[in-house]
Amino acid sequence: MGRPFLVDSGRILIRDAAVLDAEAGELVEGQAVLVDGDRIVEVGPTGTVRGGDGTVLEAAGMTVMPGLIDAHVHVTAATANLADLEEWPPTYVTARAAGILRGMLDRGFTTVRDVAGADFGLATAVAEGLLPGPRIVFGGRALSQTGGHGDPRPPGRALLDQHPAGSGMTVVADGVSEVRRAAREQLRRGAHHVKVMLSGGVASPTDRVDSTQYSMDELRAIVEEAEAANRYVTGHAYTARAVNRGLEAGVGCIEHGNLMDESSLRLFQRTGAFYVPTLATYAALAQEGLEHGLPADQHRKVFDVLDAGLRALELAHRAGLPIVYGTDLLGGMHRRQLSEFMLRSQVQPAADVIRSATTAAARLVRMEGQVGVVAPGALADLLVVDGDPLRRLEVLTDPGRHLRLVMKAGTIHCSSLP
Ligand SMILES: [Zn+2]
């Protein structure tokens, strides 16, 4: 795309565009969108919306849509070797995260939910404009049991460095009182949700994908702490057994869920929990994880979950679950962040995939009406794309060709519009 704009833009009128109504899954032709400060103030037929002496952008033949939301990212995961990451000073990790954040905004993501790693420092730096990037909704460090998905130690190491000023993405806590303290600590540091490891995972050295993690008492205590703070718990889980234990304990969102089954669907429906599949990362890890630092023994675990992911998404889609866009990419694989659109389109219509990255994601991050929508009163997080993404999702996945403007909170990040 063209030159970056680094100044606040004031009043901006985008004229003569089709506006994407993500919730309805339709385009409304011949619209104008007026932005004042960080908000959308008016949307209507081009002739009726007046921008005064502000900037006017001509978007004839193009589509204005809400900025995208990725609800499963790790913006500090600059390598796929998470044990290495712990050896890097936070100054260096922050510098690497800056590039990852900028790449996300360049691709059209204006809000991300970080589910382990990012903290209030990074979120504040972006909010103050010190680093260009999407708005960060963060959970701080993910909670893991000893030997769980968030325990980075190889089996021969006893010492665990959990200094809060380190670069670790997780905190190991065992027992009801320790997990309460760990959850309270994340909440004290501003977490929007609490992330808990409900099962084994791929990028961890000593657990198995099919293990369950944490006792029900520990899980209920974590949920109780989050709910006391009017926050929710989101859980990393693969098998039906792990997913179901989490949902029974009151977890409000499940990440991955590749190996879940019909019994999980009933629990999702009963609890209203969200589902965030992350297909992009398994394809990426299988194909190029080794060259990006994933240890060989962890690379083998990818194949336990790779093929099942699409089937789980299909089950969830048919059951009508609230499905949200997530990618979970690590290190140099972040460039594949938009690949999730095409992977999901194998089993979901384009309108549903777009909803997962806009309105459904906005509900999950509890910013409904603020992000994920082109409407008066919402934050002016807008994309202009050349083409109709409802007919051709590829319009979203090739930003070099189709993405003509990225605006976050009324500030133009980049534009090639006349
Ligand atoms: Zn993840």
Side-chain angles (χ1 to χ4, degrees):
M1 264 191 299
R3 62 211 153 96
F5 290 64
L6 295 172
V7 288
D8 278 357
S9 313
R11 263 166 111 83
I12 300 172
L13 182 68
I14 305 173
R15 293 181 72 250
D16 214 15
V19 169
L20 176 70
D21 180 338
E23 194 63 19
E26 60 188 33
L27 289 188
V28 186
E29 302 283 346
Q31 299 288 293
V33 179
L34 181 62
V35 172
D36 193 1
D38 64 350
R39 300 273 161 180
I40 299 167
V41 290
E42 204 176 340
V43 181
T46 291
T48 68
V49 182
R50 309 244 175 264
D53 53 5
T55 307
V56 177
L57 301 172
E58 301 290 344
M62 295 183 224
T63 303
V64 177
M65 63 178 290
L68 300 171
I69 303 167
D70 186 338
H72 190 126
V73 302
H74 302 285
V75 301
T76 61
T79 166
N81 187 326
L82 301 181
D84 274 3
L85 189 70
E86 307 234 345
E87 308 296 322
W88 294 358
T91 43
Y92 180 61
V93 172
T94 301
R96 296 284 296 258
I100 291 170
L101 286 162
R102 185 181 194 113
M104 290 175 168
L105 192 56
D106 288 344
R107 287 178 208 108
F109 290 93
T110 49
T111 302
V112 295
R113 186 180 66 137
D114 188 288
V115 285
D119 69 352
F120 70 97
L122 213 44
T124 304
V126 171
E128 290 180 354
L130 300 173
L131 299 177
R135 170 181 308 104
I136 304 173
V137 178
F138 62 92
R141 295 188 179 210
L143 275 56
S144 168
Q145 68 171 48
T146 290
H149 183 47
D151 188 334
R153 294 171 297 175
R157 180 172 305 163
L159 291 179
L160 179 66
D161 178 0
Q162 303 219 77
H163 196 282
S167 298
M169 298 165 63
T170 55
V171 57
V172 174
D174 295 293
V176 167
S177 65
E178 272 190 30
V179 299
R180 280 194 196 280
R181 182 190 288 274
R184 288 172 185 172
E185 185 62 17
Q186 304 316 308
L187 294 162
R188 181 182 78 83
R189 291 167 64 84
H192 298 95
H193 59 264
V194 176
K195 167 84 176 289
V196 59
M197 303 306 190
L198 298 169
S199 87
V202 172
S204 42
T206 63
D207 62 3
R208 289 149 309 284
V209 161
D210 65 0
S211 62
T212 68
Q213 299 183 359
Y214 275 133
S215 69
M216 291 303 285
D217 282 350
E218 290 166 313
L219 295 176
R220 288 199 189 96
I222 296 165
V223 169
E224 189 180 25
E225 293 304 327
E227 288 182 351
N230 285 316
R231 298 292 186 263
Y232 67 95
V233 176
T234 192
H236 156 108
Y238 283 114
T239 61
R241 188 163 64 122
V243 168
N244 296 0
R245 289 175 84 254
L247 293 175
E248 274 158 15
V251 164
C253 180
I254 294 289
E255 316 290 321
H256 320 300
N258 300 39
L259 301 166
M260 69 181 183
D261 63 19
E262 306 280 349
S263 67
S264 313
L265 301 178
R266 286 192 292 278
L267 275 167
F268 269 106
Q269 285 164 334
R270 200 176 79 205
T271 60
F274 288 86
Y275 176 42
V276 184
T278 59
L279 305 180
T281 199
Y282 306 109
L285 287 168
Q287 288 163 21
E288 50 178 315
L290 289 172
E291 66 194 80
H292 292 288
L294 189 72
D297 54 336
Q298 296 176 24
H299 184 252
R300 279 192 285 279
K301 292 160 105 186
V302 175
F303 300 92
D304 294 344
V305 296
L306 176 65
D307 295 333
L310 200 59
R311 197 186 97 84
L313 174 61
E314 192 170 17
L315 283 176
H317 172 68
R318 286 214 199 116
L321 304 189
I323 300 169
V324 178
Y325 193 92
T327 54
D328 199 19
L329 292 160
L330 306 173
M333 292 171 279
H334 276 104
R335 60 186 165 70
R336 301 170 65 136
Q337 193 176 17
L338 292 160
S339 70
E340 187 79 21
F341 280 100
M342 299 317 294
L343 289 166
R344 292 188 183 199
S345 73
Q346 296 171 77
V347 296
Q348 285 193 293
D352 287 304
V353 188
I354 291 170
R355 212 172 283 128
S356 79
T358 53
T359 49
R363 282 193 285 277
L364 170 60
V365 300
R366 301 185 174 181
M367 294 183 75
E368 190 173 10
Q370 300 294 304
V371 297
V373 64
V374 182
L379 286 161
D381 290 0
L382 298 173
L383 310 182
V384 175
V385 295
D386 193 352
D388 177 358
L390 291 167
R391 288 212 183 136
R392 285 186 61 235
L393 260 180
E394 292 88 341
V395 166
L396 298 182
T397 61
D398 189 357
R401 276 182 68 179
H402 295 290
L403 186 55
R404 304 293 302 276
L405 172 127
V406 177
M407 177 189 289
K408 189 188 117 193
T411 298
I412 296 174
H413 170 62
C414 52
S415 168
S416 58
L417 286 178

